[in-house]
Amino acid sequence: MQWNATVFEAKGLTKRYGPACALQEINMRIRPGEIYGCIGENGAGKTTLMRIIGGLVHPTSGEISLFGISDRSQLHAVRQQIGFLIDTPGLYPHLNAEQNLAFYCHNYGITDQRRIAGVLEQVSLSDTGNKKVSEYSLGMRQRLGLAIALLNQPQFLVLDEPINGLDPSGIIELRNILEHLAKENGVAILISSHFLNELQLLATTFGFMHKGRLIHEISARELLKTGGTRICVQTSDPAATAEILKRELQIAEISMTSAGDVYISKESTDMEKLMSVLLRHSISIQGIHLSTPNLENYYMDLIGGNS
Amino acid sequence: MRNILKGQVYYLRKDVVFKGICLFFLLSGIILPVWLGSKNGFQMDNPLEPLRKMMSLSLILYFIIPIQACFFITEGFENGSAANLIASGQRRSFYFLGKYISEMKVIGWFIFQFCGLYLIVYIAAALLTGASVGFSRIQEDAAAVFSILGYNLLYLAAYAAIIMMAGVLVKKTATAVVITFVTVFGDFLLGGYLKDSSSALLKGISDHTLMTQILKFSGMYLSNSQIVTLSGFHEHLRTILIPILIIGVCLTVAVICFEKRDLRV
């Protein structure tokens, strides 16, 4: 595949439900091997975008192309190269993992039975035996849903909040699986998640959606360059802390999150001066650490969440 | 399409509703011939006579199979597998038509199981009890049996088309079940209550309901205390065309609507 080939492209993609606009003029491009993290609040349009890719929802205007094909009558054929995990996984509660996968194998025309064992091992569900899906935890259902998405050895994975319900080891395993697929097999991945810290470890490109619009895109490399290291101070009275630091250390820019964390640029002061000011004013310090440029702060700055 | 059909066969083999109905027909296919045959000592003029006599019992198929069709068409939407399959490249029209063709196979299987088992058990019981088995009027009974079986297949296909069209439009099992009951019993009531109406329009509606045709070809339609059966080419033609028209319209509407609408999970 050419290095500049496009797996998915949206041009002016719009979706309206009556007067409400779920997507407005989305222009997006995803390339092979790219892990595109889609970030946005509930109702931002992430799931609608994924449903349009899957052909479950018809766009009001604009067009999409998958693997260079934009003709709607041919899109169903190229969708066979795509694996989806949107909303809740489509599982049969009265069947076990193998039987659920066997159902999809029949529908996809997969005759190699080893494929089932292979994907179950990939998502660490090999030892579920005859346990019915109705007895699965949420995390196990998510894993099985991912196994279904991987069954057809897709070239493009569309995952809507796949981390939901996974335990920490499951999250790490998922990250390893997706990184391996992207780096070794050149699989493109579109993933949405509210776990921004986790997404930052995984994605190579971030797209920020807000009220149906794609307001900004940035690569992981560019994200790291956007801001220097900052000192994060957690105290019992963040407002007073910010005021004291501004006055005593003449720091012009101090930001504070809604959680009460106070951020100061590392270039504006050093740790010793900072600590001495806080101790001198008897500020109770609950935590202090260095913070590298992170997705959460970038997102909050983008949508104006910081004061 | 072939893959969808294989997938649906796999699903049906694991489906509790399908297995339950198979069990019901298995038991009734064994108990009914024993019970009914024991009344006359399993005597038969020809090997197909028991089947011809039990054709009126096939009415039960019209209360069971539409419900099964209702569950079958909506399961994909309720469980989310329909969305998975369509998102992974299956055409929506192929998905629906695959479901319908699979349902036709189910209908054929249920008819075969119910009637076939009845006949086999009846004949076996006759042979075991040493009852006399003749061969008189076998051609007439064969013609009657096979035409009724053919009509049953056609009319069950028509009911399935209506129910599956409704199922694909509403996508919820609970709503589809209500529609199924209204369709089956409504058709039954329309045929019965309007039968003797003085209004030509209402009588015309009654004459053309599915259940009226079913009762006629099954030999159970009463008019002025007399059994009315199909007679003449035109009546047979009308009996064939009504379900074909319903199947054509319902499948077309279902495919068009399913293609055009968003699939909200």
Side-chain angles (χ1 to χ4, degrees):
Chain A
M1 194 178 289
Q2 296 174 1
W3 72 273
N4 60 348
T6 304
V7 168
F8 166 68
E9 186 169 5
K11 289 180 186 171
L13 193 63
T14 301
K15 176 65 184 178
R16 286 196 184 86
Y17 292 105
C21 214
L23 289 179
Q24 295 184 64
E25 297 288 327
I26 301 289
N27 295 301
M28 184 190 282
R29 187 182 287 180
I30 300 176
R31 293 181 176 79
E34 190 173 2
I35 304 178
Y36 193 106
C38 200
I39 300 146
E41 74 280 10
N42 291 339
K46 308 184 296 296
T47 303
T48 303
L49 172 64
M50 292 179 177
R51 285 185 184 152
I52 288 176
I53 294 172
L56 302 175
V57 167
H58 300 300
T60 307
S61 62
E63 71 167 26
I64 64 166
S65 72
L66 293 167
F67 301 97
I69 307 288
S70 56
D71 183 358
R72 278 195 194 185
S73 61
Q74 294 180 41
L75 282 178
H76 73 280
V78 290
R79 284 196 177 101
Q80 291 171 20
Q81 301 180 64
I82 306 178
F84 287 90
L85 179 55
I86 304 178
D87 295 317
T88 51
L91 305 173
Y92 288 106
H94 63 290
L95 303 181
N96 61 30
E98 271 193 37
Q99 290 167 335
N100 269 282
L101 290 170
F103 169 77
Y104 284 102
C105 277
H106 284 296
N107 279 281
Y108 295 162
I110 298 171
T111 51
D112 186 2
Q113 291 300 308
R114 291 172 297 179
R115 189 80 198 118
I116 294 175
V119 295
L120 283 176
E121 195 173 330
Q122 253 185 310
V123 301
S124 303
L125 281 179
S126 300
D127 55 351
T128 50
N130 206 27
K131 196 175 184 181
K132 303 284 182 268
V133 166
S134 57
E135 299 166 41
Y136 280 17
S137 64
L138 176 58
M140 290 172 77
R141 288 176 201 230
Q142 285 290 101
R143 287 173 199 246
L144 189 53
L146 180 64
I148 292 169
L150 296 173
L151 206 50
N152 224 0
Q153 295 175 302
Q155 290 304 303
F156 183 25
L157 269 176
V158 179
L159 307 173
D160 189 13
E161 302 190 30
I163 297 173
N164 284 3
L166 292 182
D167 56 24
S169 61
I171 294 174
I172 294 169
E173 276 174 36
L174 176 67
R175 192 194 324 141
N176 291 338
I177 292 169
L178 297 181
E179 279 177 343
H180 174 82
L181 286 171
K183 286 181 184 150
E184 304 298 323
N185 300 352
V187 175
I189 300 171
L190 172 63
I191 178 171
S192 72
S193 177
H194 291 305
F195 294 87
L196 298 186
N197 292 339
E198 187 54 38
L199 204 55
Q200 184 172 1
L201 293 174
L202 178 64
T204 56
T205 307
F206 305 101
F208 299 88
M209 294 188 70
H210 182 59
K211 293 184 181 175
R213 287 190 183 277
L214 183 65
I215 56 175
H216 190 58
E217 280 180 310
I218 189 169
S219 71
R221 206 172 289 175
E222 286 165 346
L223 176 70
L224 286 174
K225 291 180 190 169
T226 53
T229 305
R230 297 195 287 181
I231 302 171
C232 174
V233 183
Q234 292 157 330
T235 68
S236 54
D237 192 346
T241 305
E243 195 52 46
I244 289 167
L245 292 175
K246 221 182 255 188
R247 192 178 64 237
E248 296 284 336
L249 298 175
Q250 284 81 52
I251 299 174
E253 281 187 32
I254 296 180
S255 60
M256 197 161 61
T257 67
S258 52
D261 296 343
V262 177
Y263 283 91
I264 309 154
S265 167
K266 191 170 179 296
E267 280 74 41
S268 60
T269 185
D270 58 51
M271 199 67 89
E272 290 78 18
K273 280 185 190 168
L274 176 70
M275 291 295 295
S276 74
V277 165
L278 293 174
L279 289 168
R280 196 164 65 240
H281 287 271
S282 305
I283 301 287
S284 164
I285 302 172
Q286 292 166 344
I288 187 164
H289 62 267
L290 291 176
S291 169
T292 49
N294 71 56
L295 192 57
E296 188 177 308
N297 290 337
Y298 191 87
Y299 173 64
M300 294 307 292
D301 288 343
L302 200 59
I303 63 167
N306 280 350
S307 61
Chain B
M1 174 74 88
R2 199 185 323 150
N3 291 334
I4 290 182
L5 293 175
K6 281 186 190 171
Q8 295 309 311
V9 166
Y10 183 85
Y11 170 80
L12 285 166
R13 276 172 30 211
K14 309 282 180 199
D15 180 29
V16 174
V17 172
F18 177 75
K19 288 197 273 193
I21 296 174
C22 283
L23 182 63
F24 172 76
F25 283 137
L26 178 72
L27 292 173
S28 43
I30 294 170
I31 294 169
L32 277 174
V34 171
W35 177 49
L36 294 173
S38 61
K39 290 183 177 178
N40 69 345
F42 297 99
Q43 309 283 346
M44 57 183 102
D45 292 338
N46 63 72
L48 288 178
E49 189 197 24
L51 202 56
R52 183 183 57 76
K53 285 185 174 176
M54 67 77 79
M55 278 290 120
S56 58
L57 293 175
S58 59
L59 209 59
I60 197 170
L61 295 170
Y62 293 91
F63 296 100
I64 294 176
I65 288 176
I67 295 290
Q68 183 274 330
C70 166
F71 279 97
F72 185 49
I73 189 62
T74 54
E75 62 83 14
F77 303 114
E78 293 276 354
N79 291 309
S81 61
N84 266 357
L85 294 177
I86 290 162
S88 300
Q90 296 288 1
R91 287 181 191 266
R92 293 185 186 210
S93 56
F94 280 16
Y95 177 81
F96 174 74
L97 292 173
K99 278 280 190 187
Y100 185 73
I101 292 170
S102 301
E103 182 61 24
M104 291 304 301
K105 291 182 190 175
V106 167
I107 290 171
W109 167 250
F110 284 153
I111 292 176
F112 174 76
Q113 187 187 15
F114 183 53
C115 299
L117 195 58
Y118 183 97
L119 185 63
I120 289 169
V121 170
Y122 199 103
I123 291 176
L127 292 174
L128 281 173
T129 56
S132 66
V133 179
F135 281 90
S136 61
R137 296 173 64 236
I138 189 169
Q139 281 182 331
E140 290 166 19
D141 282 347
V145 162
F146 287 114
S147 70
I148 293 173
L149 285 176
Y151 279 132
N152 273 324
L153 195 66
L154 193 57
Y155 276 75
L156 285 166
Y159 269 111
I162 297 170
I163 302 307
M164 294 181 100
M165 176 192 69
V168 101
L169 291 176
V170 304
K171 299 184 184 70
K172 294 265 182 212
T173 303
T175 313
V177 166
V178 171
I179 293 172
T180 301
F181 273 110
V182 168
T183 302
V184 173
F185 288 102
D187 186 55
F188 198 70
L189 289 172
L190 274 178
Y193 275 115
L194 301 180
K195 189 173 67 173
D196 299 317
S197 172
S198 54
S199 161
L201 173 64
L202 295 177
K203 194 166 186 328
I205 292 172
S206 169
D207 282 346
H208 289 83
T209 60
L210 290 173
M211 195 48 71
T212 299
Q213 316 311 314
I214 293 164
L215 291 173
K216 278 186 180 175
F217 68 66
S218 301
M220 292 187 289
Y221 188 77
L222 277 176
S223 180
N224 299 323
S225 306
Q226 281 191 329
I227 292 177
V228 176
T229 56
L230 298 177
S231 59
F233 171 76
H234 286 107
E235 280 215 3
H236 281 280
L237 185 64
R238 186 179 70 169
T239 305
I240 292 171
L241 284 179
I242 289 174
I244 288 176
L245 189 65
I246 288 173
I247 291 168
V249 168
C250 289
L251 294 188
T252 305
V253 168
V255 167
I256 291 172
C257 290
F258 192 38
E259 287 277 3
K260 290 205 175 303
R261 286 186 179 186
D262 291 342
L263 187 58
R264 307 282 293 272
V265 176

